[in-house]
Amino acid sequence: MKPDIYILYEFQNQLTEIIKNLNAYGLKKDGNILCSFDFLDVQNILDTKLLDGIVTNIPRFIIDDNTRIAKWRNDFEKRFNRKPLFTDAYAYDFAYIMYDAAKDLKKVPGETINEALFKVNRSGISGPLSFDSTGQIKNNIVTCIFKDGDFVEL
């Protein structure tokens, strides 16, 4: 049986093995594998030839080359001696979200943390940081295909 599409929602170590096996058995074709964000970590482990043609949704900052993001990446690499993962950027942004909410809590007596979080509206490494009416953070996500060692927006 050869499915038309494979949807892989796994952690890095499982994705690595599944992708190796899909390649080994000739089951990977351009665009027939969709991966979770953890694909971002796999791209640093496997040969890029094994990854070509895989589709994934990624945070826009991964493919943006703006100066502020480039400086953050460079500072991170100098401090931690490794390239930042997407989770590092989200953790960095989360710290600022909590900082902004805590500052607002001091200004408004009786306000709850949820009320303060809904007011957060700032620019972060991962993009604009604000919450929708249901409490979900508004993500700046793009769909890309991995080609020749890079992400190409679809």
Side-chain angles (χ1 to χ4, degrees), residues 8-21 33-40 42 46:
L8 307 179
Y9 188 76
E10 301 291 340
F11 290 115
Q12 171 188 318
N13 56 340
Q14 289 96 1
L15 276 179
T16 302
E17 294 307 312
I18 292 168
I19 291 169
K20 283 196 272 187
N21 283 305
I33 299 175
L34 305 177
C35 281
S36 61
F37 274 13
D38 291 288
F39 179 76
L40 292 167
V42 172
L46 291 177

Side-chain angles (χ1 to χ4, degrees), residues 94-153:
F94 181 73
Y96 275 101
I97 288 171
M98 293 307 295
Y99 173 76
D100 285 357
K103 274 193 336 188
D104 193 62
L105 279 173
K106 286 183 175 184
K107 294 179 194 173
V108 183
E111 183 176 48
T112 67
I113 187 70
N114 283 347
E115 291 167 334
L117 285 170
F118 277 119
K119 292 180 182 178
V120 170
N121 189 5
R122 73 162 27 237
S123 180
I125 297 302
S126 61
L129 303 175
S130 63
F131 293 87
D132 68 19
S133 62
T134 66
Q136 294 294 313
I137 194 158
K138 296 176 185 175
N139 283 312
N140 194 5
I141 306 297
V142 293
T143 302
C144 295
I145 190 164
F146 196 80
K147 285 282 188 194
D148 301 320
D150 217 349
F151 290 101
V152 178
E153 189 172 352

Side-chain angles (χ1 to χ4, degrees), residues 19 28 39 42-43 46-54 146:
I19 291 169
K28 181 180 76 77
F39 179 76
V42 172
Q43 62 144 342
L46 291 177
D47 184 317
T48 58
K49 290 177 185 148
L50 296 176
L51 305 174
D52 272 356
I54 294 178
F146 196 80

Side-chain angles (χ1 to χ4, degrees), residues 58-115:
I58 62 171
R60 177 167 289 288
F61 74 89
I62 299 293
I63 59 173
D64 277 354
D65 281 334
N66 83 43
T67 306
R68 188 173 62 84
I69 294 171
K71 180 184 179 330
W72 177 81
R73 278 190 193 117
N74 189 41
D75 291 349
F76 186 98
E77 287 181 37
K78 284 180 184 174
R79 183 170 184 183
F80 298 106
N81 296 317
R82 67 174 177 84
K83 291 183 178 191
L85 303 174
F86 72 95
T87 49
D88 297 316
Y90 282 132
Y92 180 88
D93 285 349
F94 181 73
Y96 275 101
I97 288 171
M98 293 307 295
Y99 173 76
D100 285 357
K103 274 193 336 188
D104 193 62
L105 279 173
K106 286 183 175 184
K107 294 179 194 173
V108 183
E111 183 176 48
T112 67
I113 187 70
N114 283 347
E115 291 167 334

